[in-house]
């Protein structure tokens, strides 16, 4: 069992930055690829970015590529999402999730995730 707790969300002006953290319980964090998803009001949950268990491989949606950076610290059981140049359309609840696989190949598929956090709200004002 893995429990995930996100933090770092908040209100920021367009063009600003935020750093989200996702702390995981359990001793097997380093075995999982991790992902960040987001869900805006009235929209489906969408993939944002993912990272392999080792941290060597990453994947980004086109909408955030070049602005967001995912990283992980397996010694601290934590995955991070650095968000720069934020836009109002980035407003959403952001969720981290632990994948059943260690590999980057499945990170875009929501059903490949075994554990989800409760989410943290990110609001970007124009």
């Amino acid at each position: 069992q893995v429990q995930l707790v996100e933090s770092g969300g908040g209100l920021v002006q367009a063009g600003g930055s935020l750093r989200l953290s996702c702390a995981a319980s359990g001793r097997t964090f380093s075995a999982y690829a991790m992902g960040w998803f987001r869900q805006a009001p009235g929209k489906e949950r969408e993939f944002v970015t993912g990272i392999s268990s080792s941290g060597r491989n990453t994947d980004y949606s086109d909408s955030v590529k070049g602005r967001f950076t995912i990283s992980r610290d397996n010694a601290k059981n934590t995955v991070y999402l650095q968000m720069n140049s934020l836009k109002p359309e980035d407003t959403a609840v952001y969720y981290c999730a632990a994948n059943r696989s260690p590999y980057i190949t499945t990170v875009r598929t929501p059903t490949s995730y075994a554990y989800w956090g409760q989410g943290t709200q990110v609001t970007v004002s124009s």
Side-chain angles (χ1 to χ4, degrees), residues 26-74:
R27 293 173 291 178
T28 58
F29 174 77
S30 61
Y32 301 107
M34 298 294 294
W36 286 95
F37 287 74
R38 66 187 182 188
Q39 187 166 19
K43 295 187 176 181
E44 293 186 354
R45 190 172 298 190
E46 65 171 350
F47 168 78
V48 176
T49 180
I51 188 167
S52 62
S53 61
S54 67
R56 284 194 292 268
N57 298 298
T58 58
D59 188 18
Y60 296 91
S61 68
D62 288 343
S63 62
V64 307
K65 194 174 296 182
R67 300 188 297 123
F68 290 11
T69 302
I70 189 171
S71 61
R72 67 188 296 162
D73 185 338
N74 285 344

Side-chain angles (χ1 to χ4, degrees), residues 55-119:
R56 284 194 292 268
N57 298 298
T58 58
D59 188 18
Y60 296 91
S61 68
D62 288 343
S63 62
V64 307
K65 194 174 296 182
R67 300 188 297 123
F68 290 11
T69 302
I70 189 171
S71 61
R72 67 188 296 162
D73 185 338
N74 285 344
K76 295 183 178 179
N77 281 13
T78 303
V79 62
Y80 305 97
L81 180 61
Q82 178 66 44
M83 305 186 293
N84 298 330
S85 302
L86 282 161
K87 305 175 181 180
E89 51 263 43
D90 294 318
T91 296
V93 177
Y94 283 71
Y95 300 90
C96 73
N99 203 287
R100 293 184 178 87
S101 164
Y103 305 114
I104 197 67
T105 50
T106 62
V107 294
R108 290 180 176 250
T109 307
T111 54
S112 67
Y113 289 85
Y115 305 103
W116 293 82
Q118 292 300 305

Side-chain angles (χ1 to χ4, degrees), residues 2-23:
V2 175
Q3 291 186 326
L4 303 172
V5 179
E6 302 97 336
S7 62
L11 174 64
V12 64
Q13 288 189 333
S17 298
L18 281 175
R19 189 194 196 204
L20 305 184
S21 299
C22 173

